[in-house]
Amino acid sequence: MVTVLNRTKEYLKSRHYRYEKSYIRPLMTPESVYVFKFGREALNNRVIIRYSHTWTGRQRINEIDLRLHKQKHPRIFRTEDELLAYLESRLPQREKREDSEDAK
C-alpha cells in the first residue's frame, strides 16, 4: 500500500505539508483502510483509502475519499491520478487564501 501513495507523498512534501499515516483493519468487512492525514500546521485534511486484496495477493484500491478542512462531504476518487489532479487544482487556491488571512 505504501507504493500506491508515493506520488501523493512526494507532491505533499514538495508543497511543505506534513503528513501522518495509519492503518486500520476493520473486523466486520473484508476491506482494509489506510488513513493519511496531512496539513501545514494542523493535520486537519484526510485521505481515506479503502482497498482489498485479489486472490493473487495484489492490492486493489476500491475507493479514495478526500476530506479537506471543513468539508462536509468527501470527494471520492477511483485512482491516485484523479486525486493528484484534484489536489493540484485546489491546494494552490487554499494556500493563497490562508496566506491572505495570515497577513490580515
Side-chain angles (χ1 to χ4, degrees), residues 46 66-75:
R46 280 188 305 194
L66 172 69
R67 288 183 188 250
L68 295 177
H69 183 63
K70 296 184 181 178
Q71 279 186 340
K72 301 286 187 222
H73 304 288
R75 304 286 190 255

Side-chain angles (χ1 to χ4, degrees), residues 71-87:
Q71 279 186 340
K72 301 286 187 222
H73 304 288
R75 304 286 190 255
I76 299 174
F77 304 101
R78 301 295 296 165
T79 64
E80 188 179 13
D81 292 331
E82 294 174 6
L83 171 66
L84 283 173
Y86 183 78
L87 287 176

